[in-house]
Amino acid sequence: MSSSREIKQLQKAKTKAQSCNNLREEANLCNQLGEVLARNGDFQAAIEEHRQELALSEALRDVIGCAVANRKIGECFAELGNIEAALKHQRCHLALARSVNDAAEEQRALATIGRTFLFRYESDQSQESLLQAEEAFKDSLAIVDERLEGAVPARELSEMRARLYLNLGFVCDARKDPQLCSDFIRRSVYIAEKNQLLEDLYRANFNLGSIHFRNGQLSRAVRCLEQAKDCARKMKDKYSESECYHSIGQVLLCLGDFVAARRSLKKAYKLGSQQAADREAVKRSLKQAIRGCALEEALAELPEGRPQDAGGLAEQLGDLCCKLGCYSKALDAYHTQLSSALALGRPSRELAVIHVSLAATYTDLRQHDKAVQHYRQELSLREGNPKEECETWLNIAASLEDSGQGLEQLEPCYRTALECAQRAQRLKLQCRVLRQWLSVQQRGGSAQSELTAASLAELCGADGADGESEEEEE
């Protein structure tokens, strides 16, 4: 049944309950309406329904009804980003549950409060929010372990545990503890799998896959997302299935497997997305996959002896791969571009640009020694252009520092960069070199930092400000 049809049916039933003055049935229908509206992203309308539910529950003196209505209102406010309003209603939910000694509802209240503190952490990035979230989840888990055994069905207990372990995994992820994060979420997966809790199994696998993707563990990410996709299919939830295909497609794009990515993203596109923003994201990713396939096919079908065409296609493929974070494949493309340019006898300036692309890509791969090699080759091609020589020396210095070199190796780079900026007669460029040089000296505890600071102040003003931008005419 479509959401709009479900909403109409519930509204019709609610009107009938009102005409019969059946307050309990009306409250129940307000609850259902609010849930459907929230599921469709209309949180403000959902809040109004749950407020009606709250008023009706108060009239009925239904304490748990009031508690549940407060929880639902709080959840909607959290989705809207109004964290303080959310916590206010969720704390009412907790107080009401405790007032009638309802351990199951107290557990739900604490879990909901924990999730809201996780929401707050997303905006304030404070350790206090994480600590509050962790405490709420652990208190909730203690109730499950100590007070609910035998009081609620075993399946419901498993759901509670699976969700709490997943949420504790999110806390560890935010704390940059990947091992503990993985341990908690795997516990969630195990419980959900053992008890055939498809929705919880989907959620745990999808989130673990997303975390693996973010941490660069691409093969693990695909495995988890494939398992989440299987759950979505069993649940007959096409939007969740589409979300999995989209995420798998993004991982495959990052791996540079454009054909497999296109296949996955086409499925995501055909299944559709609930939100317009998600639909647009799928379309963008699909276009990138199609473009990658087209460039690879064009390169493969190119007859030998066409270095000019090969160079242009390779450059486009390299740029696309860099954009997608597929740096190894980008290197292959830029090397092809360089070979083509050398075969054509292209001018030094064009070759220098390709070496910059290679150096930047090696930097992305944290292969700083190779980055320096290409910057030095660029430098040999930039002779006679002091401004560009200066920029290259700054890049060399940055790569050497990233590779762990000390001040002894960095100082000559900055000294030469400053000489180039002086020859170029670029005041702002000189200031930028001095500022970066000073920063490196201060980090390394150099005794020369005071002299550099004095030079910076003399050249660029008392505070060393230079406007930060390069606005001189070329």
Side-chain angles (χ1 to χ4, degrees), residues 47-213:
I47 287 169
E48 293 311 311
E49 290 297 334
H50 290 306
R51 277 179 171 156
Q52 288 179 46
E53 176 192 3
L54 178 58
L56 290 161
S57 297
E58 285 172 345
L60 291 161
R61 296 186 179 179
D62 177 357
V63 176
I64 292 302
C66 290
V68 170
N70 271 297
R71 172 163 70 92
K72 296 290 184 181
I73 294 168
E75 286 173 348
C76 290
F77 273 125
E79 291 289 348
L80 291 169
N82 191 339
I83 300 300
E84 294 314 310
L87 286 169
K88 175 187 168 187
H89 283 281
Q90 287 160 4
R91 283 170 177 145
C92 283
H93 174 212
L94 179 61
L96 288 165
R98 283 173 172 167
S99 73
V100 291
N101 199 30
D102 188 322
E105 209 55 52
E106 184 181 349
Q107 180 275 330
R108 291 188 192 98
L110 285 164
T112 307
I113 287 168
R115 283 197 302 276
T116 303
F117 275 113
L118 272 184
F119 270 126
R120 192 169 84 175
Y121 172 76
E122 287 176 13
S123 58
D124 71 9
Q125 295 290 298
S126 77
Q127 290 303 308
E128 176 62 24
S129 293
L130 275 187
L131 183 63
Q132 295 269 22
E134 183 181 35
E135 285 178 356
F137 292 139
K138 285 186 173 176
D139 288 348
S140 182
L141 191 58
I143 292 172
V144 174
D145 292 338
E146 297 164 15
R147 294 168 58 191
L148 293 182
E149 204 74 55
V152 298
R155 185 178 176 83
E156 195 174 336
L157 275 178
S158 296
E159 282 179 352
M160 289 172 176
R161 285 194 177 100
R163 290 170 188 180
L164 286 165
Y165 283 130
L166 176 61
N167 285 321
L168 284 166
F170 292 152
V171 171
C172 294
D173 179 47
R175 284 191 177 141
K176 306 288 188 290
D177 187 340
Q179 188 55 57
L180 200 53
C181 166
S182 182
D183 290 347
F184 274 127
I185 300 181
R186 285 188 188 284
R187 273 196 233 181
S188 178
V189 168
Y190 173 76
I191 292 166
E193 207 162 34
K194 186 179 176 184
N195 295 277
Q196 284 299 293
L197 306 171
L198 287 178
E199 189 180 333
D200 295 293
L201 187 57
Y202 165 81
R203 196 179 294 117
N205 272 315
F206 184 84
N207 281 289
L208 187 56
S210 300
I211 289 166
H212 283 323
F213 182 27

Side-chain angles (χ1 to χ4, degrees), residues 334-406:
Y334 289 137
H335 278 298
T336 300
Q337 183 193 4
L338 181 59
S339 298
S340 300
L342 288 168
L344 288 164
R346 303 305 299 176
S348 297
R349 186 173 182 82
E350 285 187 33
L351 295 174
V353 170
I354 302 170
H355 281 294
V356 171
S357 297
L358 282 162
T361 309
Y362 276 120
T363 299
D364 289 323
L365 287 166
R366 294 181 173 82
Q367 295 183 30
H368 301 295
D369 290 345
K370 289 188 176 178
V372 170
Q373 286 175 23
H374 283 282
Y375 281 131
R376 289 194 184 280
Q377 288 187 65
E378 179 212 355
L379 197 59
S380 68
L381 296 162
R382 296 285 197 196
E383 285 181 11
N385 189 326
K387 178 183 179 294
E388 291 180 348
E389 285 181 52
C390 173
E391 298 283 359
T392 307
W393 277 112
L394 289 176
N395 286 329
I396 290 171
S399 292
L400 287 171
E401 186 177 12
D402 288 338
S403 69
Q405 297 294 327

Side-chain angles (χ1 to χ4, degrees), residues 451-466:
L451 286 173
T452 307
S455 297
L456 181 62
E458 183 183 347
L459 187 67
C460 312
D463 59 356
D466 68 355

Side-chain angles (χ1 to χ4, degrees), residues 10-32 52-53 55-57 59-60 62:
L10 288 168
Q11 285 172 333
K12 187 177 178 183
K14 180 179 162 185
T15 303
K16 185 178 177 183
Q18 286 171 334
S19 64
C20 299
N21 202 31
N22 187 340
L23 301 187
R24 194 168 296 281
E25 179 63 12
E26 187 184 348
N28 179 46
L29 289 161
C30 285
N31 176 281
Q32 291 180 60
Q52 288 179 46
E53 176 192 3
L56 290 161
S57 297
L60 291 161
D62 177 357

